[in-house]
Amino acid sequence: MESTVAQKLDAIHNLQLIDSKLDAIIKVRGALPEEVQDLEDEIAGYETRLEKFRNEIEAYEQDIKNFKESIKESEKLIKKYQEQQMNVRNNREYDAITKELELQDLEIQVSKKKIAEAGAKIDQKKLDLDDLNAVMKDRQKDLDQKKDELSTIVSESEAEEDKLRSEREKSIKKVDDRLYRSYEKIRANARNGLAVVMVKRGACGGCFNTVPPQRQADIREKKKLIVCEHCGRILAGVEDEIVEEKPKKKRTVKA
């Protein structure tokens, strides 16, 4: 059996009431969830940079190892060429071996220079690593503090939030699918999260613009879905203003 317009309005209005209570709970947490997320992202970025520094240090250490191996090879060749130089048969052979000796000596000097440069880079990277670790340690303290604050706030309202979310799931089942999609779309664009409001004191409960009397009469009847002409929110009904009667003054009878 299809729901009447009045039933649809009551269902969507009830959902709004639940969502407003959930919004109030989340609002109490303020910017803490975003701050926690930002700190987690920041620390993840530091961890990536730390890993990069470690990889660069390993690469420089491997370079130093390779340069040291190169020096050993050159020293072996120098020893070999020196022995050959003792047994040359002519000046041409002597000059050729001398050039090879000079070349290997140059290779050793270049390798030693490269080792020194790589060592300096390693020292700098280690300093950068220490600085970054110090910054990361401080940010981790901030994160732990923010997480504790958030955990305390969440735990205080956890039971109520769970209850409301359970009620929300049940409430959604009573709402027309098409109407629910519209509701979610309006809520996403509404600054205060209100998609369904009542007409209060002759004005929209969302944007506070005046709702004409004839339109209020239509809203009261709940025979069709009516939205605010100004903000597009669903108008669920009209709240009658209760006017308290002032007590009548007692007439005093003159004697």
Side-chain angles (χ1 to χ4, degrees):
M1 183 178 176
E2 190 176 347
S3 302
T4 64
V5 172
Q7 289 171 329
K8 289 179 181 179
L9 283 169
D10 289 343
I12 200 72
H13 186 231
N14 184 57
L15 178 61
Q16 177 67 76
L17 293 174
I18 294 170
D19 279 337
S20 292
K21 289 177 184 177
L22 283 168
D23 290 344
I25 289 172
I26 292 167
K27 190 177 180 181
V28 171
R29 297 170 191 170
L32 272 175
E34 289 78 10
E35 288 173 5
V36 167
Q37 185 61 57
D38 288 344
L39 281 168
E40 286 177 340
D41 292 342
E42 185 179 343
I43 289 171
Y46 290 147
E47 287 173 344
T48 300
R49 287 176 63 189
L50 286 172
E51 186 63 25
K52 183 183 176 185
F53 286 156
R54 293 189 191 100
N55 290 337
E56 288 174 345
I57 289 171
E58 286 180 8
Y60 289 135
E61 288 174 342
Q62 184 60 48
D63 287 342
I64 289 173
K65 186 178 179 181
N66 293 339
F67 289 133
K68 285 181 177 180
E69 288 296 324
S70 178
I71 288 172
K72 286 181 182 179
E73 288 298 318
S74 291
E75 287 174 343
K76 286 180 183 178
L77 288 172
I78 286 172
K79 188 176 181 180
K80 175 186 172 184
Y81 291 141
Q82 284 174 339
E83 289 174 357
Q84 289 179 353
Q85 202 174 38
M86 301 295 292
N87 300 309
V88 294
R89 290 170 293 181
N90 51 56
N91 288 336
R92 190 178 68 179
E93 286 183 3
Y94 184 87
D95 291 341
I97 292 173
T98 300
K99 285 182 180 180
E100 286 295 332
L101 285 168
E102 290 172 352
L103 181 63
Q104 293 306 316
D105 186 60
L106 183 61
E107 284 288 336
I108 290 172
Q109 297 307 315
V110 170
S111 293
K112 286 181 178 179
K113 183 183 177 183
K114 294 290 186 183
I115 288 171
E117 289 173 351
K121 288 177 180 177
I122 287 173
D123 291 340
Q124 184 58 54
K125 288 296 175 185
K126 285 181 176 179
L127 289 174
D128 293 340
L129 202 64
D130 290 340
D131 290 343
L132 193 55
N133 267 318
V135 172
M136 187 172 165
K137 189 176 179 180
D138 287 339
R139 300 309 279 160
Q140 186 63 52
K141 284 181 182 177
D142 292 339
L143 176 60
D144 292 341
Q145 183 181 346
K146 295 287 183 185
K147 277 186 171 181
D148 287 343
E149 289 176 26
L150 183 58
S151 178
T152 301
I153 294 171
V154 169
S155 63
E156 289 172 353
S157 58
E158 190 173 14
E160 186 183 357
E161 185 179 355
D162 289 344
K163 181 184 174 183
L164 286 169
R165 293 201 180 279
S166 177
E167 288 178 7
R168 188 179 195 277
E169 288 302 313
K170 293 175 184 176
S171 183
I172 289 173
K173 293 175 182 177
K174 297 177 183 178
V175 178
D176 178 78
D177 289 344
R178 187 177 175 185
L179 183 58
Y180 178 70
R181 287 195 295 271
S182 298
Y183 167 81
E184 288 287 270
K185 188 175 180 181
I186 297 169
R187 244 177 80 80
N189 295 321
R191 188 173 58 182
N192 54 8
L194 291 175
V196 182
V197 295
M198 301 291 284
V199 175
K200 299 179 181 180
R201 295 180 181 179
C204 169
C207 66
F208 309 112
N209 278 290
T210 302
V211 179
Q214 181 55 50
R215 198 165 182 80
Q216 289 186 47
D218 293 337
I219 295 166
R220 286 178 195 275
E221 290 182 357
K222 294 188 177 183
K223 290 183 178 179
K224 58 182 177 180
L225 289 170
I226 298 174
V227 299
C228 176
E229 295 175 341
H230 301 280
C231 65
R233 289 180 173 90
I234 299 166
L235 300 171
V238 179
E239 283 189 5
D240 293 314
E241 189 176 354
I242 300 172
V243 180
E244 292 184 4
E245 291 186 8
K246 292 181 180 178
K248 292 181 181 179
K249 291 181 179 179
K250 292 182 179 180
R251 293 177 64 185
T252 55
V253 180
K254 290 183 179 180

